Amino acid sequence: HLSRVAVDIVPTGDGGCELTLTQEDVLPEWLSRTREGWTTLLGQLAATLGESPTAAAAGSGASAARD
């Protein structure tokens, strides 16, 4: 089974950017684990960049897994 991951990075105008990650065609039995995995990965990226991991994980479109 294949799924598609899209990453969009858009400048925010204040010198930063907003990253939106979307994964499509995730099998229903993997949806929860996929969402958890991306949330963890994006949180670690935010921490590395000096951002709040909580804000990154909770942000609109921060990570999404769709079937």
Side-chain angles (χ1 to χ4, degrees):
H1 178 82
L2 298 176
S3 66
R4 179 177 177 209
V5 175
V7 177
D8 294 310
I9 302 173
V10 179
T12 58
D14 61 358
C17 64
E18 178 179 285
L19 183 147
T20 302
L21 184 147
T22 306
Q23 183 170 358
E24 299 176 333
D25 299 322
V26 177
L27 293 172
E29 61 268 22
W30 285 96
L31 229 118
S32 177
R33 292 184 81 185
T34 299
R35 186 173 288 119
E36 288 174 24
W38 284 124
T39 300
T40 299
L41 184 135
L42 292 173
Q44 291 171 347
L45 176 61
T48 299
L49 297 174
E51 298 290 327
S52 165
T54 303
S60 175
S63 65
R66 299 191 306 209
D67 56 1

